[in-house]
Amino acid sequence: MSSNYYEYNLATMRDTKGGFLEEEPKHESPQKKRRVIDINDIPYNPDPEECPLCVECGSLDLDMIYLKVFKVYVCKACVEAVPDKYSLLTKTEAKDDYLLTDSELRDRALFPVWEKPNPHKSTWNNMLLYLRMHLEKFAIEKWGSLENLDKEFERRVDEKQLRRRTRVEEWEKKRREKLKLQAEHEHQFESTAGTSDGEATEQKCVVCGIVVEQELDDRFAQLQENADEVFRNNQKVTMDYFQEDWQLSQFWYDNATAEFIATRALKNTKPGDKIAFISSPTAYVAFRNLAPERADDAYVFEYDKRFELFKGQFVFYDFNKPLGFDGADEMKEMFRFIVADPPFLNEDCLSQTMETVKHIGAKGMLLMIDTGAVMEQLAKKLVGAKITGFHPAHRGG
């Protein structure tokens, strides 16, 4: 007979149908505590006369976030209706708009802040949101008035331009010394780059080598003024009239790429078939020049309103509102061939552009998507697209 003695705590045992096993204690790993704003602990007074009211409209339906975080009595409707007072700004926007410093924005007595998880990446620092009316009040105290703030902003812009101009002048001085050029000379320009109609857009001085880019605004204004005559005489309009706007993520195709896409659209459709160029104005212009007799068959969906030049064939398009363009109902299942070049390389932009494609595309339509290879799986999932060996090229490389 064994003399060993085993002690068990029967209260911690559980029946697993296979014997009794003692439950092991759970060791929770320490986690970083997050500041959580409880918006439900605000006291409620059943007496309407004692309840806090919206300072704008007198409503009882206050926005609890604004009340808890910013100590501001305002309803959600007034938050939307009065953005000049109640809109929220990020730290970067606060510094840029009101010329405030980091130390000032860190002062929680001056600026209560709503701290939210960063929407771009969860591992980044939390996003800090400031109330515009607080920022504006402090900016007026700091600068004296909003007019003085504007003057200070203009002064800083001028100072920045002066520093840039000084650097350029210093570079030119060193260049003259290196090449032993005269301090002053009359520039003798020759064309280095030109448009298809022979007008130069860049000129280079043969003496000092300085390159000057000619302004296209006057040429575009002239084209806009004479657009009816230009289109009536089937004169070619090239992309040289339109400067790229990188803030709109505009990168024009080179001529070979634009003509390749336009040729595919032409060969795979017949007269009367409608063709849509979504965020692809370069290919649209190439198609018009390639087949001017079919100009009425092609439409350009574009955010840049300079392309209103094409009048009835221009559709103002914002991918953030995929079905919010004029004529969306009339254009349902209208297009036999669609070229889509989503301006931004992210899932939202591609997904919302494809929502437009599905709406306007006719049954059996042909679709050409110009986007990065990283979007391959999403494009396949959304519309069954397959990657090809064609690599579009852009003017800027």
Side-chain angles (χ1 to χ4, degrees):
M1 183 174 180
S2 174
S3 61
N4 293 335
Y5 173 75
Y6 299 94
E7 183 177 356
Y8 294 99
N9 184 356
L10 299 178
T12 63
M13 291 186 179
R14 54 191 174 87
D15 186 3
T16 63
K17 309 303 181 183
F20 289 92
L21 300 176
E22 188 173 1
E23 186 171 343
E24 296 181 359
K26 295 180 179 179
H27 300 283
E28 295 184 358
S29 59
Q31 295 181 348
K32 183 180 178 181
K33 292 184 179 179
R34 288 194 174 188
R35 292 177 57 195
V36 179
I37 297 174
D38 185 3
I39 65 173
N40 297 317
D41 61 351
I42 296 178
Y44 170 73
N45 193 325
D47 186 356
E49 295 183 358
E50 299 296 330
C51 279
L53 304 177
C54 173
V55 296
E56 299 290 340
C57 67
S59 170
L60 288 169
D61 186 19
L62 298 180
D63 189 311
M64 293 295 102
I65 291 288
Y66 277 69
L67 179 55
K68 185 69 177 179
V69 178
F70 302 112
K71 304 298 187 291
V72 174
Y73 295 91
V74 64
C75 66
K76 293 183 178 180
C78 290
V79 168
E80 298 292 333
V82 193
D84 290 345
K85 293 174 65 176
Y86 302 113
S87 58
L88 300 177
L89 282 74
T90 63
K91 185 176 181 180
T92 301
E93 291 171 336
K95 292 166 64 176
D96 292 344
D97 289 3
Y98 294 100
L99 305 181
L100 304 180
T101 64
D102 286 321
S103 60
E104 290 169 340
L105 292 173
R106 281 196 297 267
D107 189 342
R108 292 295 169 260
L110 287 175
F111 303 113
V113 64
W114 184 14
E115 190 170 346
K116 295 180 65 178
N118 197 300
H120 301 290
K121 200 169 185 179
S122 60
T123 56
W124 292 355
N125 291 335
N126 287 345
M127 181 171 62
L128 305 179
L129 296 177
Y130 299 82
L131 188 61
R132 183 178 290 275
M133 62 183 295
H134 291 162
L135 297 169
E136 191 164 297
K137 179 182 177 181
F138 181 79
I140 291 175
E141 294 175 358
K142 178 178 180 178
W143 301 109
S145 66
L146 293 179
E147 290 74 16
N148 290 342
L149 172 63
D150 292 337
K151 291 178 181 178
E152 175 63 16
F153 184 83
E154 292 174 359
R155 185 192 70 78
R156 295 190 183 189
V157 171
D158 292 341
E159 188 179 75
K160 184 177 180 180
Q161 292 177 346
L162 177 61
R163 288 198 301 268
R164 184 181 302 166
R165 188 163 61 248
T166 302
R167 287 197 299 269
V168 172
E169 290 172 353
E170 184 66 22
W171 176 83
E172 288 183 348
K173 180 180 178 181
K174 291 181 180 179
R175 179 179 175 80
R176 292 191 191 102
E177 292 175 354
K178 182 179 179 180
L179 299 179
K180 298 180 180 180
L181 297 173
Q182 296 178 357
E184 295 182 2
H185 67 278
E186 183 177 352
H187 291 299
Q188 299 177 22
F189 289 108
E190 64 178 11
S191 299
T192 60
T195 64
S196 57
D197 57 7
E199 291 191 46
T201 57
E202 269 189 6
Q203 292 184 331
K204 181 178 181 181
C205 176
V206 297
V207 178
C208 67
I210 189 172
V211 176
V212 178
E213 183 176 340
Q214 290 183 320
E215 294 292 338
L216 298 179
D217 292 343
D218 293 340
R219 297 178 60 241
F220 178 77
Q222 186 177 4
L223 172 65
Q224 208 169 20
E225 183 179 349
N226 301 319
D228 291 336
E229 182 180 353
V230 169
F231 296 143
R232 186 167 51 249
N233 296 330
N234 289 329
Q235 297 179 20
K236 289 186 176 182
V237 175
T238 69
M239 292 302 293
D240 296 309
Y241 288 98
F242 305 90
Q243 287 183 323
E244 294 171 326
D245 187 343
W246 290 359
Q247 291 184 342
L248 297 180
S249 190
Q250 289 180 337
F251 303 94
W252 301 153
Y253 298 139
D254 62 14
N255 292 336
T257 298
E259 290 175 5
F260 175 87
I261 297 174
T263 301
R264 290 298 176 274
L266 186 62
K267 288 184 176 180
N268 288 281
T269 58
K270 61 182 183 299
D273 288 344
K274 301 304 180 185
I275 304 168
F277 294 86
I278 302 178
S279 304
S280 184
T282 324
Y284 169 77
V285 170
F287 180 87
R288 286 185 63 105
N289 292 334
L290 189 65
E293 70 282 359
R294 291 194 57 189
D296 292 341
D297 290 341
Y299 292 76
V300 57
F301 288 68
E302 177 57 45
Y303 187 82
D304 187 345
K305 289 191 175 182
R306 287 180 298 174
F307 293 94
E308 281 183 328
L309 178 78
F310 298 103
K311 297 186 177 179
Q313 308 310 114
F314 170 81
V315 179
F316 177 71
Y317 177 72
D318 182 352
F319 74 86
N320 291 303
K321 301 175 183 177
L323 302 182
F325 53 90
D326 291 341
D329 293 337
E330 293 78 2
M331 291 183 179
K332 185 176 182 180
E333 299 183 357
M334 173 176 166
F335 295 92
R336 298 290 302 173
F337 193 98
I338 299 177
V339 177
D341 186 355
F344 299 99
L345 205 61
N346 59 53
E347 292 187 5
D348 286 344
C349 185
L350 179 59
S351 299
Q352 291 174 134
T353 301
M354 290 305 102
E355 185 177 346
T356 305
V357 168
K358 292 176 183 178
H359 178 78
I360 67 175
K363 294 181 179 179
M365 67 155 179
L366 296 177
L367 170 63
M368 177 183 288
I369 307 173
D370 297 325
T371 187
V374 295
M375 295 286 106
E376 178 184 1
Q377 294 302 318
L378 181 60
K380 183 177 180 180
K381 176 183 176 181
L382 293 173
V383 291
K386 296 180 181 179
I387 196 167
T388 69
F390 172 64
H391 297 283
H394 299 86
R395 292 186 176 190

